Amino acid sequence: METMRPVPRTLLRDRAYEAIRDAIVAGELEPGAVVRDAELAERLGLSRAPVREAFSRLVDEGLLESKPQSYTRVTPLTASDVRDAAAVVGAMHELVTRVAVPRLTDTDLAAMRAANERFAAAVGGADVDAALRADDALHDVLVRVSGNRAAAATVARYTPLIRRLERRRFGEGGSCRSAGLHERLIEACAAGDTAEAVRVTAEIWRGLEELAD
């Protein structure tokens, strides 16, 4: 049967990575929780090898910490780590915004508006998962249109560190990002005002640095 082919090892590794990363960001695996490859492999229906590979990547990205022959555990939620990540991610978003604005099409702008409508509805309904998905969708338009793969990879690597704090603050009744700021960003993009779009982008991510405090 042509459709029944072995799943590539890299896909298993990526599946393990994404599942564990999302559980950490969602708080299902809490800060300080010890994680064991055998237990998570069983839960995920995978062998231990791709889980170990995922652990290595998550240690590198700051979501897990490991002491050889002793433990692997979820890193604490540290304000300085979040501030550093927000500064780096913010700089990447400013970069891609500067490149993307002149290239945006009507379809791209419509996608950003639709994402912001979902974002506002999710914030109003206290649906943190939907809010963060919509937020990602809005900003990902600019990342995609810029075509900067290095910036995209950096954003993907460090955004989960920020999301952990956003989810916690939202869950504690705190505020999430402003749909109004998103509207200003979209208006600047639609007007082709690159400088203003970059200013608003900087304001959005500066707010996340402040959230860490």
Side-chain angles (χ1 to χ4, degrees):
M1 297 174 63
E2 290 297 320
T3 58
M4 295 294 290
R5 298 174 180 174
V7 176
R9 181 183 180 82
T10 53
L11 293 184
L12 295 178
R13 178 195 62 204
D14 292 345
R15 278 178 51 198
Y17 164 77
E18 291 169 3
I20 299 167
R21 178 202 62 195
D22 292 349
I24 293 171
V25 172
E28 295 172 24
L29 294 173
E30 297 182 350
V34 173
V35 293
R36 297 177 175 85
D37 55 5
E39 293 178 5
L40 290 182
E42 183 176 358
R43 287 174 59 182
L44 294 171
L46 299 171
S47 68
R48 294 170 69 174
V51 173
R52 289 197 195 103
E53 293 177 29
F55 278 7
S56 178
R57 182 174 172 184
L58 289 162
V59 167
D60 186 50
E61 295 182 0
L63 291 174
L64 292 178
E65 57 187 7
S66 181
K67 183 177 180 181
Q69 308 304 319
S70 182
Y71 62 77
T72 300
R73 64 190 180 194
V74 179
T75 55
L77 191 56
T78 306
S80 61
D81 289 343
V82 176
R83 281 196 301 270
D84 290 347
V88 170
V89 173
M92 292 300 99
H93 277 291
E94 289 179 48
L95 186 156
V96 300
T97 298
R98 187 173 289 108
V99 174
V101 169
R103 303 178 180 177
L104 290 169
T105 66
D106 289 343
T107 299
D108 296 324
L109 292 167
M112 293 175 72
R113 292 189 180 99
N116 198 36
E117 289 174 4
R118 297 196 301 274
F119 176 83
V123 171
D127 186 340
V128 61
D129 291 322
L132 295 181
R133 283 196 302 271
D135 186 77
D136 281 339
L138 188 154
H139 292 284
D140 282 352
V141 171
L142 295 167
V143 174
R144 172 180 55 78
V145 172
S146 78
N148 190 319
R149 290 187 291 179
T154 302
V155 168
R157 174 171 180 167
Y158 291 107
T159 296
L161 290 169
I162 305 166
R163 292 300 196 218
R164 293 174 72 192
L165 181 63
E166 285 188 282
R167 288 186 62 90
R168 175 164 291 190
R169 290 286 185 264
F170 200 168
E172 292 171 350
S175 60
C176 195
R177 302 192 205 181
S178 167
L181 278 175
H182 286 160
E183 289 174 5
R184 285 174 50 199
L185 173 60
I186 295 168
E187 288 171 3
C189 289
D193 190 340
T194 301
E196 176 63 12
V198 171
R199 278 194 293 270
V200 177
T201 298
E203 185 176 348
I204 290 170
W205 291 95
R206 190 162 54 245
L208 286 176
E209 290 184 61
E210 295 167 356
L211 181 66
D213 297 323

